[in-house]
Amino acid sequence: MEKTVCAIELKGITKRFGEVVANDGINLQLHRGEILSLLGENGSGKTTLMNMLAGIYFPDEGQIYVGGKPVSIRSPKDAYANGIGMIHQHYKLVDVFTATENIVLGLEEGGKLDRKAANEKVRAICERYGFDIDPAQKIYDMSVSQKQTVEIVKVLYRGADILILDEPTAVLTPQETNKLFAVLRSMRADGKAIVIITHKLHEVMALSDKVTVLRKGKYIGTVATSQTTPQALTDMMVGRSVTLDIGRPRYGNPVKRLELRDVTCHDGEGVKRLDGVSFTAMGGEILGIAGIAGSGQRELLEAVAGLYPVSSGEILYSPEGREPSSLVGKTPMQIKRAGVAMAFVPEDRLGMGLVGSMGMTGNMMLRSWRKGKGAFVNRKDPNELALQIWKELEVVTPSTEFPVRRMSGGNVQKVLVGREIASAPSVLMTAYAVRGLDINTSYTIYNLLTEQKMKGVAVIYVGEDLDVLLELCDRILVLCGGRVSGIVDARTATKDQIGLLMTRLGGKEEA
């Protein structure tokens, strides 16, 4: 089919933040009836580039064309006027409002809001593209995928026919992802132009028509999805050949390291966050933990680490050659000394685990400052560790004394995960260890975790990407609403099986 005038064309787009060049002379074309995937490592400038289309940033150089005509987009209002809407990774919704109230919020409808007419317009959009939301439902009663649907309908309601989605499947189950893809294909068939920013190569291959790759702020190239492979795309992103295989060797003789028996936890308001959780983590295996966001993953790891109060139940730790001991009631420091380490990477990366004003060496010292004599602390070992992590994980920083709060999110994660792995624990817990990391660094982390497993460490890996969980882990425990809905063998389980367990639609299975 012959291409019509570009829906969007970018020519020589450059954006600087001080001395940092986020986008350097980017050229890009997007046609109607097309889905474009935007790929690149952390810091490659993907989101910055799309934020200029959405009116959040304004380019320092270059020109944006919409429908072949030059435009100036200085605000989100300008973007909507040009038919461009962006669905951000973190939803911007008012919880106590209904879907329709959120969708029309900020619009100059003239006079009092006609809820009935607005509801009908929202229903018409939903029926046209196959969305599944109730216009009168409150946001706080919605699932993550329903909230995302509201955000998409919000931009369609404003007349957008060019949509940008930033990491749209980050917190969706496989079934929700498939439903979203069906909707996006329907929108493509209706002539919409769609851009997706994502790290997930299998989704790129399944959904997009073409792929544009950025590297360190520069445009590398655009290829037809049907004429490329995940390996070729990764090599374009990184600039060299990268192995995309996650090794999963078997450890010869797994031993029991950690056992949870009917662990129940309540938050400060008395709400039950974990409900009778029981499982065993073996030294020499990676136990994956899957679940929809907020299913109790964070509370589970924090309970084991002594950071979250346990209402009832037992957490038993079995050190090498010694009798099991209970961790319930012990302080985090006592648990760490026993050999249980936690590399927890929450959304607020600097809120837990690292001190933002310190450099890498100072943050390594947080692990060893008690070993110093008197008023003095040992700086030599932490500095050597900082240099080792800097080199092995390719942390982008001018020096090991550079404040971590001034690093990118991905580099902050490398520092935190590297430090925890280096503490040589017998139980290593990681939560979202690769969230926000580019593909190359993610595979480095996967290999480090496998190395720990083969040293006899019990690795507990909380992750969002089911493809990675199925390829990396030995067993997968699925949480749903704070309860264990199943434990499956990762070598034989399927994404659909785990997705059903995540929504408690599947029966309980043991492996």
Side-chain angles (χ1 to χ4, degrees), residues 294-319:
S295 294
Q297 300 96 313
R298 179 179 64 83
E299 291 84 355
L300 175 58
L301 266 58
E302 289 188 6
V304 175
L307 296 168
Y308 204 91
V310 175
S311 305
S312 62
E314 275 294 331
I315 301 175
L316 299 173
Y317 169 60
S318 302

Side-chain angles (χ1 to χ4, degrees), residues 271-478:
V271 177
K272 194 179 284 185
R273 296 298 179 186
L274 292 177
D275 187 2
V277 171
S278 299
F279 67 88
T280 301
M282 308 293 287
E285 77 161 7
I286 298 179
L287 175 67
I289 297 182
I292 297 168
S295 294
Q297 300 96 313
R298 179 179 64 83
E299 291 84 355
L300 175 58
L301 266 58
E302 289 188 6
V304 175
L307 296 168
Y308 204 91
V310 175
S311 305
S312 62
E314 275 294 331
I315 301 175
L316 299 173
Y317 169 60
S318 302
E320 189 73 42
R322 282 186 281 157
E323 288 296 310
S325 61
S326 175
L327 300 184
V328 177
K330 289 186 176 177
T331 66
M333 186 61 72
Q334 289 171 329
I335 291 171
K336 284 174 187 171
R337 283 176 180 161
V340 181
M342 181 170 72
F344 182 58
V345 188
E347 297 219 357
D348 180 11
R349 299 174 177 99
L350 297 176
M352 180 186 291
L354 296 175
V355 177
S357 58
M358 287 183 178
M360 288 179 65
T361 299
N363 276 288
M364 298 305 124
M365 206 181 299
L366 294 175
R367 270 274 179 254
S368 60
W369 67 273
R370 288 174 182 265
K371 296 177 184 176
K373 295 180 180 178
F376 298 96
V377 293
N378 175 7
R379 293 190 67 89
K380 186 176 174 221
D381 292 347
N383 192 49
E384 288 176 356
L385 176 56
L387 289 168
Q388 179 188 344
I389 292 171
W390 188 15
K391 182 180 177 183
E392 289 185 9
L393 296 186
E394 299 178 352
V395 178
V396 180
T397 178
S399 75
T400 55
E401 302 301 326
F402 188 75
V404 296
R405 63 178 161 75
R406 293 176 61 186
M407 297 180 190
S408 71
N411 286 300
V412 170
Q413 280 175 253
K414 293 180 192 180
V415 174
L416 180 54
V417 175
R419 184 188 71 185
E420 299 305 317
I421 289 175
S423 67
S426 56
V427 177
L428 175 65
M429 301 186 292
T430 67
Y432 312 114
V434 298
R435 177 183 280 171
L437 292 184
D438 54 64
I439 292 165
N440 188 33
T441 308
S442 296
Y443 277 79
T444 302
I445 297 291
Y446 302 148
N447 291 332
L448 285 171
L449 295 178
T450 299
E451 283 176 19
Q452 293 300 303
K453 175 183 95 169
M454 296 310 289
K455 290 177 181 177
V457 175
V459 180
I460 299 176
Y461 176 86
V462 176
E464 296 164 321
D465 191 328
L466 292 189
D467 290 278
V468 170
L469 283 162
L470 287 166
E471 200 176 342
L472 174 70
C473 303
D474 298 284
R475 291 184 300 143
I476 299 173
L477 178 148
V478 186

Side-chain angles (χ1 to χ4, degrees), residues 96-320:
V96 295
F97 283 6
T98 65
T100 296
E101 287 166 347
N102 271 278
I103 287 163
V104 302
L105 191 62
L107 287 176
E108 296 175 5
E109 296 281 359
K112 191 177 178 183
L113 170 65
D114 184 344
R115 278 188 173 78
K116 187 177 179 183
N119 280 344
E120 288 306 314
K121 189 175 176 183
V122 169
R123 279 199 180 90
I125 293 171
C126 291
E127 287 172 9
R128 182 172 183 177
Y129 297 110
F131 291 117
D132 181 23
I133 59 165
D134 176 2
Q137 188 176 357
K138 300 278 190 182
I139 299 298
Y140 59 70
D141 281 333
M142 291 186 177
S143 67
V144 174
S145 65
Q146 287 175 312
K147 291 177 184 177
Q148 183 184 65
T149 300
V150 173
E151 288 283 19
I152 295 172
V153 176
K154 189 197 294 184
V155 300
L156 292 174
Y157 191 96
R158 285 159 169 74
D161 51 15
I162 300 164
L163 283 84
I164 303 162
L165 294 92
D166 191 0
E167 298 283 357
T169 65
V171 290
L172 302 185
T173 66
Q175 287 82 358
E176 290 169 338
T177 297
N178 291 337
K179 195 182 292 185
L180 172 65
F181 284 4
V183 167
L184 293 178
R185 291 186 184 106
S186 171
M187 290 165 64
R188 173 178 62 187
D190 196 40
K192 305 290 186 191
I194 301 167
V195 181
I196 291 182
I197 303 171
T198 182
H199 284 298
K200 299 179 180 179
L201 288 179
H202 60 281
E203 294 180 358
V204 170
M205 302 304 294
L207 182 67
S208 61
D209 299 297
K210 63 183 186 181
V211 186
T212 292
V213 177
L214 303 183
R215 188 196 313 146
K216 295 180 179 176
K218 293 182 181 292
Y219 171 82
I220 301 302
T222 298
V223 295
T225 310
S226 59
Q227 296 172 9
T228 190
T229 64
Q231 183 66 59
L233 291 172
T234 303
D235 294 349
M236 281 179 74
M237 277 191 286
V238 179
R240 64 179 189 276
S241 184
V242 175
T243 303
L244 287 182
D245 294 326
I246 301 176
R248 183 166 47 188
R250 288 186 185 271
Y251 183 74
N253 187 27
V255 292
K256 186 186 292 185
R257 278 284 171 262
L258 192 70
E259 183 182 6
L260 273 70
R261 298 177 182 169
D262 291 322
V263 171
T264 297
C265 297
H266 295 82
D267 64 16
E269 298 176 357
V271 177
K272 194 179 284 185
R273 296 298 179 186
L274 292 177
D275 187 2
V277 171
S278 299
F279 67 88
T280 301
M282 308 293 287
E285 77 161 7
I286 298 179
L287 175 67
I289 297 182
I292 297 168
S295 294
Q297 300 96 313
R298 179 179 64 83
E299 291 84 355
L300 175 58
L301 266 58
E302 289 188 6
V304 175
L307 296 168
Y308 204 91
V310 175
S311 305
S312 62
E314 275 294 331
I315 301 175
L316 299 173
Y317 169 60
S318 302
E320 189 73 42

Side-chain angles (χ1 to χ4, degrees), residues 49-56 73 75-77 79 84 86 88 164:
L49 185 66
M50 291 300 102
N51 278 338
M52 283 187 276
L53 282 177
I56 293 168
I73 302 176
S75 69
K77 188 175 180 180
I84 302 170
M86 185 166 178
H88 298 271
I164 303 162

